[in-house]
Amino acid sequence: MAAYIGTPTSRIDGHAKVTGAAKYAAEFNAPGLAHASLVTSTITKGRIAKIDASEAMRVAGVIDVITHKNRPTMASRDKAYKDDVAAEGSPYRPLYDDEIKFNGQPVAVVVAADADIARFAASLVRVEYIEDPFVTDLLEQRDTAHEVERPSRPRGDAEAAFAAAEVRHEADYFIPTEYHNPMELFATTVTWEGDGKLTVYDKTQGVQNVQRYLVSVFGMKPDDLKVVSPYVGGAFGSGLRPQFQVALAVIAARALERSVRLVLTRPQMYGLSYRPATIEHLALGAKALGPLEAVMHEAIAQTSEYEDFNRNDVAWADQLYKCGNTRYSHKLAKLDVSTPSDMRAPGAASGVYALECAMDELAVALKMDPLQLRFVTYSDREQNADRPYSSKKLRECYRQGAAAFGWEKRNPEPRSMRDGSELVGWGMATGVWEALQMPLTVRIVMTANGHAEVSSATSDIGTGTYTIMAQVAADMLGLPIDNVSIKLGDSTLSESPVEGGSWLAASVANSIATTAEAIRKTLLGVTKTMPDSPLADAKPKDVMLADGKIVSKKDASRAIPIADVMRAGKLDRIDQKAAAPVKDDGKYARNTHSAVFVEVRVDEQIGVIRVTRVVSAAAAGRILNTKTAHSQLLGGVVWGIGMALHEETLTDHRFGRIMNANLGEYHMPVNADIYDINCFFVDEPDATINPMGIKGVGEIGIVGVAAAIANAVYHATGKRVRDLPITIDKLRRD
Amino acid sequence: MINFQYARPNEVADAVRQIAADPRARFIAGGTNLLDLMKSDVEQPSRLIDISRLPLKSVEETPDGGLRIGALVPNTDLAYHPLVESRYPLLASAIMAGASQQLRNMASTGGNLMQRTRCYYFYDIATPCNKREPGSGCSAIEGLNRMHAILGTSESCIAVYPSDMSIALAALEATVRVMGPGGERTMAFADFHRLPGDTPERDNNLEPNEIITAIELPPQGFAKNHSYLKIRDRLSYAFALVSVAAALEMDGEAVKEARLALGGVAHKPWRVEAAEAALAGQPANEASFAKAADIVLSGAKGFEHNAFKIDLARRAIIRTLTQAANGTPQSQSSKKIR
Amino acid sequence: MVRTIEATRPISESIPTPPKIKVSLKINGDLKQLQIAPWTSLLDLLRDTLDLTGTKKGCDHGQCGACTVLVDGRRVNSCLTLAVMKDGSEVTTIEGLMADGKLHALQQAFIDHDAFQCGYCTPGQICSAAGLLAEGKAHTAEEIRELMSGNICRCGAYPNIVAAIQQAMSAMGGNS
């Protein structure tokens, strides 16, 4: 039955991607397409006093300059701007009025015959502002932060237990603002279909989310606007909410009643969303052997003045470590910046970084091997609700990861391992993420010629959705994978949530199985009407679809070709739509886990850090595609390396402006930074979580990596750097 | 990018005439820096004079045994040129430490000398910058200055000249040949770039109506004992925090002659002849190298975020000189520091 | 709300855009006679005018490598190349790598090794790798890594990219 599931099937969209045939949002064309270019705010807070577009309008080829003064009508109520995954608050409205809320906010859209003209004309638009005082520095607003949630109820008396603990560790960790920086520039091409109908090609992780948002903001009829996004050049969370380029492109198209394309520049993308700068305060208490005595974790993250964005940074210890006394708190500091957003493993990438560095520091204080500390504090039950896991093979991750890495050869003493001029450091950390499933509807159209079209309005942001959908459908329908075609990234397809949180694989695969089951039932029903049917007595659970036949599970000789069944039933096609039920009665904790082991080499004199070896062992339920899932883990590790050593947004708080808003000075890893990375999954059957036992793999790869690197750097050098990224200057800091 | 005229002269003299006729015109060769700046509206030339087809692309030996490198020789061609690889490996190594292979394929030798600073404020036209807009103020002095200069700074500018290739050219005592309306002249490499002083808008001493035609290298290439060490925030494709070009002529265990130039620390390649002189005749050991480093860095001044560069430069100088003395130059593909 | 600004604007007041220049380029084997404004990058010419959208724009400033194409056999950043300056050149883009309907060895190797995820940097990676093979300077994994560092992959497929290039090197008879 599983001819494809669990195999290293190559991406079915691979050919399109290696030949340049795959089309991204800025690559769709339309007759008379106009090109838009943005003018963005150079102040951080205040009002637009005047926009002088007269010179821009004089440029030959300029069609219009659109500002808040002459834009088409937009909704006036906050609610109209709330998308499916909006943060609490009052969403930013592109080009709505004269108010400036953040530096880099769009203030005018210049539309011209071609992109060069639009860009030139945009440089001629003169904007005068009335500036207000502003604050963009989290450290300055730390004390004004307000508590937004209690992510997990307190247990025991953490303060008292911490005070009484034999061994204590307490410190602040810091994660700077980081940007997703997908390689594709955010872009939208709006094609004017006549009569006000629009097709919107957008870079997004949720075509239906964008569709609903636009319909609501512009008061359009749902049937008059469709959103299409077959390929997405990376997103990592940045495409979950509708971003301002899509609203601005639609504004221009509606104002001019023609097709318009807007491609943001890389610097303009720093006005979109990001992982918020966060201060993480950790306090851990322990005794020599046994569970932790106390865990206190407080996060203070930045958000915008207009929305409260927050994710669970602080309660991850509940998923990992046995402890009776915990206290968690999450605070937000409001700044004059754009709203942060989900970025790969939001909350966990930052919160678990701090937790796992603190655990390493605790192990040092306990004079205990950090891996041993993980074993002695290991929890088989999720602590907060005191419930079992649907599955948790974290012990296996530790064991297999440590074995693959050779952890037992580690000398615990910092600065004890050397190779010539380099100090060698070995560090480890734990990763954890949620295993979620969302309601999602799949449609399958199976034709008598043995072809199936499988569709849903989801997206493939590089995660491999196309391929796993085809694998699952091929297995469930008993077809060769080449006979399955996949459609996604189109808002008119059946209902799908945004693609994020690692929930898509479980959601779509189980729904394909459910829909295939409906098809099987339909086919079985027809077989009952066939004379001398070998399946006359069979119940739906007794049969499967395999090799183009409907066949008895018990006796493979009792089978009928699907084509024959369809002919008998006079069916040209079977068209089914179904959604797998999403059941979570709260009895089980649902998580993925990982263990990450890292070797760094640090030149003793100079301080250059190289991450020469990474082993990441993950437990993530059933793996649908061992090749693409491996790539997900690998990508997560590369992200962790960037987070640990490179990534940082530099804001000049005098101006409120991001000064490294580009790919030259916002450093992300390049090929030379990446050495040997060994990622693998440990076997983790899970009969509880969902029928197919799928947990999702998009986020787990990054979680824990930065901590393992920071811990390895400490082991190599004896220097503990708690504020990321760990750059050469920080190693020398007093 | 603003509207500009485009012209493509066929002869050097014609190119000079054209640039002399329009003070807002710029030469373009590889375009890797100029177009980047034009797209950021930092450079707004009225006219681009495309010199990429001028006959300045040859690498020839000079009668005195040196090398003449045409100003339009692409960076990769120069780095891979057999005479450069064999006789001036320090130059080849420094070139390969910079940018990416794509950019090195495009960038020209002369253009590299004209490369402008990567200072954040210079690039962002919404912020004050004396280099971009004289008199508007320097935002870096009290701003984000981790990448900035520690030597030769002024009250009006602390920008850094970002080239790698030029650091090697400075150490090798190259000569710059330039052509202007009045004919040809030569400049010692040390005289080509400027310190910011109170005219940071001027990066170098090339006159507005002059064109670089060639770089000449003297015969001595230090092929045996040299090294280029570049330290940056990731292992490739990033500008230097500090880089060191070291070239030695050894006499047994002692240094006979030394050359030392630093990148990433000043508005020009930083070379202190007194430090080189102090090495001459000294044993090639850490004490001698440390002494030279201290001379080079005397007068270094750190700002809020870049003071670390002083100690880093000191360590890097000692290390690079050690590599050079040992005949184990830093590899640009292996990231382990030798 | 259709606007008719174009029609009402007095011609005399308008700021002209640069006159187009006649340029001939051989793109993926086809000789093209084009009229190009001087400020148009080779990248924008390919994507916006010729609809060769396989070449990608990731930064437009030579900082990511997504726009890498081969000009006269050498890999360059098409975003920092003015199209008019390449008059008479041969340009090869990702669309021109297939021969006789068959994938180039690099294209196949990228699929085999899952050397991409979102696919956006991929054409640039493949063209860059084609340039690297032609240069013949990279022999070890270390050298491949360094000479491929001008192509950023945010999905983090680097080890798979190196493996794919090594496979193509052996397939094409090069040393690896």
Side-chain angles (χ1 to χ4, degrees):
Chain A
M1 162 133 166
Y4 299 104
I5 293 174
T7 65
T9 301
S10 290
R11 283 171 205 267
I12 64 166
D13 50 337
H15 192 278
K17 284 177 174 173
V18 301
T19 56
K23 286 214 179 279
Y24 299 79
E27 297 167 0
F28 291 85
N29 244 320
L33 181 73
H35 297 258
S37 182
L38 295 188
V39 180
T40 58
S41 164
T42 54
I43 70 155
T44 300
K45 190 178 189 174
R47 294 198 174 271
I48 300 167
K50 190 183 166 197
I51 299 183
D52 177 2
S54 57
E55 206 184 345
M57 287 299 298
R58 283 172 49 218
V59 176
V62 167
I63 299 162
D64 203 356
V65 177
I66 305 168
T67 70
H68 67 282
K69 292 272 201 190
N70 64 348
R71 61 161 173 79
T73 311
M74 295 166 78
S76 58
R77 289 179 311 138
D78 258 351
K79 200 171 163 241
Y81 293 82
K82 290 243 179 197
D83 67 278
D84 293 357
V85 285
E88 277 298 302
S90 168
Y92 160 62
R93 308 167 180 196
L95 230 55
Y96 187 78
D97 57 19
D98 62 352
E99 191 184 346
I100 301 297
K101 296 166 187 284
F102 58 91
N103 213 309
Q105 177 181 320
V107 295
V109 183
V110 179
V111 190
D114 75 37
D116 288 313
I117 294 171
R119 179 161 58 181
F120 168 47
S123 74
L124 302 177
V125 174
R126 304 283 166 248
V127 188
E128 288 170 29
Y129 301 96
I130 301 159
E131 281 196 72
D132 290 334
F134 58 87
V135 184
T136 56
D137 188 357
L138 171 64
L139 300 181
E140 208 179 304
Q141 290 299 86
R142 178 179 182 153
D143 296 335
T144 70
H146 63 284
E147 186 113 11
V148 287
E149 61 171 350
R150 220 168 250 293
S152 218
R153 67 188 167 83
R155 286 179 288 119
D157 185 341
E159 302 229 4
F162 180 72
E166 275 174 41
V167 176
R168 284 190 293 272
H169 166 69
E170 185 169 14
D172 274 356
Y173 299 83
F174 180 73
I175 295 97
T177 290
E178 297 170 352
Y179 274 82
H180 309 77
N181 273 322
M183 295 315 297
E184 182 193 11
L185 297 171
F186 266 82
T188 304
T189 305
V190 182
T191 63
W192 180 262
E193 312 284 7
D195 295 336
K197 289 191 197 312
L198 303 177
T199 301
V200 178
Y201 298 93
D202 188 36
K203 175 178 176 64
T204 177
Q205 292 171 252
V207 280
Q208 290 179 334
N209 187 28
V210 172
Q211 197 266 354
R212 281 189 284 269
Y213 169 83
L214 294 172
V215 161
S216 146
V217 166
F218 296 100
M220 294 176 69
K221 288 187 210 139
D223 288 347
D224 284 353
L225 185 145
K226 94 173 167 174
V227 178
V228 179
S229 180
Y231 292 100
V232 181
F236 315 106
S238 59
L240 289 169
R241 296 184 66 180
Q243 296 283 15
F244 59 60
Q245 90 290 338
V246 72
L248 295 171
V250 171
I251 284 173
R254 283 170 61 84
L256 303 171
E257 299 195 350
R258 66 188 288 175
S259 300
V260 174
R261 176 185 298 154
L262 171 59
V263 183
L264 298 190
T265 65
R266 182 60 61 174
Q268 286 166 358
M269 281 171 58
Y270 286 75
L272 304 178
S273 55
Y274 53 88
R275 191 193 303 285
T278 307
I279 301 159
E280 310 263 358
H281 182 79
L282 255 296
L284 301 177
K287 58 187 177 218
L289 273 177
L292 297 175
E293 297 284 299
V295 176
M296 290 187 280
H297 190 165
E298 179 190 69
I300 305 171
Q302 75 176 52
T303 191
S304 65
E305 276 291 340
Y306 51 95
E307 282 173 315
D308 278 0
F309 172 86
N310 70 91
R311 288 293 178 265
N312 171 23
D313 270 67
V314 294
W316 295 103
D318 279 349
Q319 312 297 335
L320 296 173
Y321 303 119
K322 208 176 279 182
C323 181
N325 303 293
T326 61
R327 199 193 66 192
Y328 302 117
S329 125
H330 194 111
K331 292 179 179 170
L332 292 180
K334 284 188 167 294
L335 301 175
D336 297 301
V337 295
S338 64
T339 306
S341 74
D342 291 307
M343 176 162 150
R344 205 166 197 175
S350 42
V352 175
Y353 156 72
L355 173 65
E356 288 299 289
C357 288
M359 284 293 283
D360 197 72
E361 297 203 54
L362 184 69
V364 172
L366 286 163
K367 298 186 172 54
M368 188 187 285
D369 179 280
L371 180 59
Q372 193 197 349
L373 178 63
R374 273 30 175 231
F375 282 123
V376 301
T377 56
Y378 195 90
S379 173
D380 285 305
R381 293 177 74 79
E382 186 266 321
Q383 296 284 283
N384 209 265
D386 189 28
R387 55 185 175 167
Y389 291 89
S390 66
S391 58
K392 181 181 179 181
K393 294 285 183 202
L394 177 56
R395 265 198 198 90
E396 273 309 299
C397 295
Y398 288 138
R399 287 191 187 116
Q400 293 184 29
F405 187 83
W407 184 259
E408 79 285 354
K409 296 190 210 83
R410 180 178 185 263
N411 181 332
E413 205 52 43
R415 300 181 68 86
S416 62
M417 293 166 61
R418 279 169 187 275
D419 182 6
S421 54
E422 286 182 319
L423 298 166
V424 179
W426 287 4
M428 60 85 55
T430 313
V432 54
W433 183 247
E434 298 159 342
L436 301 168
Q437 187 186 353
M438 296 292 191
L440 177 150
T441 305
V442 164
R443 178 180 181 191
I444 300 178
V445 177
M446 192 152 149
T447 43
N449 62 1
H451 181 270
E453 184 183 89
V454 183
S455 60
S456 181
T458 180
S459 59
D460 186 336
I461 57 172
T463 41
T465 315
Y466 278 108
T467 310
I468 58 159
M469 283 177 74
Q471 289 175 274
V472 173
D475 278 354
M476 296 297 165
L477 299 170
L479 296 176
I481 199 163
D482 291 342
N483 290 17
V484 177
S485 58
I486 304 298
K487 276 171 75 176
L488 51 73
D490 179 331
S491 62
T492 61
L493 300 173
S494 57
E495 198 71 13
S496 168
V498 294
E499 183 191 17
S502 296
W503 61 59
L504 190 73
S507 310
V508 78
N510 283 294
S511 287
I512 290 171
T514 305
T515 314
E517 194 181 317
I519 287 176
R520 202 169 70 222
K521 277 186 190 158
T522 305
L523 289 167
L524 183 64
V526 175
T527 65
K528 310 283 186 189
T529 67
M530 294 170 77
D532 307 323
S533 168
L535 300 170
D537 311 328
K539 299 201 170 68
K541 66 174 170 46
D542 302 331
V543 295
M544 60 183 185
L545 305 181
D547 299 327
K549 296 174 200 157
I550 180 164
V551 52
S552 161
K553 285 181 188 165
K554 289 177 204 141
D555 178 0
S557 71
R558 293 166 62 189
I560 312 173
I562 293 169
D564 291 357
V565 181
M566 291 184 74
R567 207 174 303 118
K570 298 195 167 48
L571 296 168
D572 291 337
R573 46 192 257 146
I574 303 174
D575 186 343
Q576 290 284 354
K577 241 161 101 165
V582 176
K583 291 183 204 143
D584 184 355
D585 54 14
K587 281 189 187 152
Y588 296 92
R590 297 152 183 255
N591 293 91
T592 53
H593 296 90
S594 69
V596 188
F597 298 83
V598 165
E599 174 183 280
V600 299
R601 285 162 183 263
V602 185
D603 186 88
E604 188 176 12
Q605 278 180 349
I606 306 291
V608 170
I609 302 170
R610 301 186 299 136
V611 179
T612 45
R613 222 151 50 84
V614 180
V615 170
S616 172
R622 184 180 198 180
I623 302 306
L624 292 171
N625 183 322
T626 51
K627 189 185 258 188
T628 55
H630 178 269
S631 291
Q632 286 283 316
L633 275 193
L634 178 66
V637 171
V638 172
W639 270 58
I641 292 171
M643 180 179 172
L645 302 183
H646 307 133
E647 295 189 38
E648 176 176 25
T649 307
L650 301 170
T651 300
D652 188 321
H653 298 299
R654 298 170 302 172
F655 306 117
R657 252 175 113 70
I658 295 171
M659 299 311 300
N660 63 339
N662 59 60
L663 296 183
E665 270 85 26
Y666 181 102
H667 295 122
M668 314 191 288
V670 296
N671 210 318
D673 290 296
I674 305 305
Y675 290 79
D676 180 23
I677 299 175
N678 174 11
C679 301
F680 58 90
F681 293 96
V682 307
D683 199 27
E684 189 181 60
D686 190 327
T688 309
I689 193 155
N690 54 55
M692 293 186 70
I694 299 163
K695 287 185 166 180
V697 297
E699 333 281 327
I700 186 65
I702 183 179
V703 188
V705 177
I709 293 169
N711 296 340
V713 168
Y714 167 76
H715 182 239
T717 63
K719 177 82 184 172
R720 184 66 71 171
V721 177
R722 301 191 181 94
D723 53 329
L724 296 180
I726 306 171
T727 48
I728 203 164
D729 42 328
K730 293 180 186 170
L731 286 181
R732 292 274 169 217
R733 197 167 53 184
D734 295 328
Chain B
M1 194 172 336
I2 69 154
N3 188 355
F4 59 85
Q5 304 291 310
Y6 173 77
R8 190 196 293 155
N10 293 318
E11 288 168 21
V12 174
D14 194 20
V16 170
R17 264 195 300 280
Q18 290 192 19
I19 198 103
D22 182 352
R24 286 186 55 221
R26 290 276 187 284
F27 290 130
I28 184 165
T32 53
N33 190 216
L34 181 58
L35 289 174
D36 172 34
L37 290 162
M38 286 169 65
K39 288 181 184 196
S40 302
D41 289 323
V42 176
E43 293 271 9
Q44 303 200 326
S46 56
R47 172 188 296 264
L48 286 188
I49 303 168
D50 176 1
I51 55 169
S52 65
R53 296 174 196 225
L54 295 182
L56 301 171
K57 287 188 181 162
S58 60
V59 178
E60 291 160 15
E61 289 189 82
T62 55
D64 68 350
L67 209 61
R68 177 176 300 172
I69 302 156
L72 293 172
V73 175
N75 289 178
T76 17
D77 292 20
L78 184 57
Y80 291 147
H81 194 284
L83 287 175
V84 174
E85 281 186 330
S86 60
R87 286 170 44 190
Y88 304 95
L90 174 65
L91 176 59
S93 183
I95 292 170
M96 294 308 287
S100 68
Q101 191 78 332
Q102 290 95 313
L103 291 166
R104 293 188 293 261
N105 276 339
M106 303 162 74
S108 68
T109 304
N112 193 292
L113 270 60
M114 303 300 290
Q115 209 180 338
R116 308 210 68 188
T117 185
R118 293 296 313 178
C119 174
Y120 314 115
Y121 302 98
F122 176 66
Y123 261 84
D124 183 353
I125 60 167
T127 61
C129 167
N130 284 327
K131 183 181 276 296
R132 182 169 28 78
E133 207 183 322
S136 61
C138 173
S139 301
I141 288 173
E142 291 185 358
L144 297 166
N145 49 33
R146 184 170 172 273
M147 61 151 74
H148 288 74
I150 51 171
L151 287 159
T153 54
S154 76
E155 281 174 16
S156 42
C157 183
I158 60 170
V160 156
Y161 171 57
S163 163
D164 290 296
M165 182 175 91
S166 287
I167 311 308
L169 290 174
L172 293 169
E173 289 193 342
T175 312
V176 187
R177 292 190 86 87
V178 305
M179 175 85 90
E184 211 176 16
R185 66 175 178 127
T186 61
M187 272 192 269
F189 204 83
D191 298 333
F192 186 83
H193 293 100
R194 296 164 59 97
L195 288 180
D198 54 9
T199 53
E201 68 276 17
R202 289 198 67 185
D203 292 348
N204 55 57
N205 289 315
L206 192 72
E207 294 300 327
N209 54 9
E210 287 180 320
I211 186 171
I212 301 170
T213 55
I215 305 291
E216 286 182 1
L217 294 175
Q220 191 178 13
F222 300 92
K224 230 178 127 197
N225 295 95
H226 66 91
S227 186
Y228 187 75
L229 178 61
K230 179 178 185 180
I231 299 156
R232 45 190 154 181
D233 278 324
R234 65 183 172 197
L235 296 176
S236 188
Y237 203 15
F239 291 94
L241 290 168
V242 169
S243 71
V244 184
L248 299 173
E249 191 180 329
M250 302 294 293
D251 182 4
E253 298 295 299
V255 174
K256 190 171 162 207
E257 187 184 351
R259 300 282 178 76
L260 188 60
L262 266 64
V265 295
H267 198 262
K268 61 184 288 187
W270 194 260
R271 198 178 151 214
V272 179
E273 287 181 36
E276 296 172 359
L279 278 168
Q282 298 299 308
N285 61 26
E286 191 173 333
S288 317
F289 298 156
K291 204 172 138 200
D294 290 338
I295 297 171
V296 171
L297 294 165
S298 65
K301 174 188 162 195
F303 295 83
E304 187 181 354
H305 305 290
N306 74 347
F308 75 97
K309 279 191 177 185
I310 300 172
D311 180 56
L312 181 62
R314 185 174 185 277
R315 291 163 182 275
I317 290 168
I318 295 169
R319 188 66 163 274
T320 316
L321 284 166
T322 308
Q323 292 175 329
N326 293 344
T328 54
Q330 180 61 39
S331 154
Q332 299 305 343
S333 52
S334 167
K335 303 301 172 180
K336 179 173 179 174
I337 302 178
R338 288 183 179 166
Chain C
M1 31 196 305
V2 185
R3 293 152 199 243
T4 51
I5 288 147
E6 268 171 313
T8 56
R9 184 188 305 132
I11 302 293
S12 58
E13 275 187 31
S14 75
I15 299 172
T17 51
K20 293 190 173 179
I21 296 170
K22 206 170 132 187
V23 173
S24 104
L25 283 169
K26 200 172 197 181
I27 297 175
N28 297 330
D30 294 339
L31 190 63
K32 304 222 183 237
Q33 305 292 341
L34 303 158
Q35 295 283 336
I36 304 172
W39 62 15
T40 301
S41 68
L42 178 57
L43 174 61
D44 287 344
L45 173 77
L46 292 169
R47 284 174 65 82
D48 291 351
T49 309
L50 302 175
D51 207 27
L52 289 168
T53 54
T55 307
K56 303 304 184 192
K57 185 183 280 191
C59 72
D60 214 24
H61 286 264
Q63 298 171 340
C64 78
C67 67
T68 304
V69 299
L70 301 167
V71 174
D72 298 327
R74 291 158 71 105
R75 46 174 163 158
V76 301
N77 297 114
S78 61
C79 73
L80 292 183
T81 304
L82 292 180
V84 290
M85 290 177 68
K86 294 300 160 190
D87 187 18
S89 291
E90 286 192 30
V91 178
T92 306
T93 70
I94 191 72
E95 290 92 344
L97 282 186
M98 280 177 81
D100 307 324
K102 272 192 68 183
L103 292 178
H104 186 282
L106 279 164
Q107 292 172 312
Q108 186 60 50
F110 267 61
I111 294 175
D112 293 346
H113 289 273
D114 209 31
F116 53 87
Q117 293 184 39
C118 77
Y120 198 80
C121 74
T122 312
Q125 297 277 359
I126 292 174
C127 286
S128 185
L132 172 134
L133 295 182
E135 289 155 12
K137 300 288 181 183
H139 307 290
T140 63
E142 201 164 61
E143 287 163 347
I144 294 172
R145 284 201 296 264
E146 168 61 14
L147 292 174
M148 286 300 292
S149 282
N151 293 83
I152 294 180
C153 170
R154 184 54 157 167
C155 295
Y158 296 126
N160 295 352
I161 290 168
V162 174
I165 293 171
Q166 286 175 317
Q167 174 179 312
M169 264 182 183
S170 342
M172 295 168 72
N175 33 14
S176 171

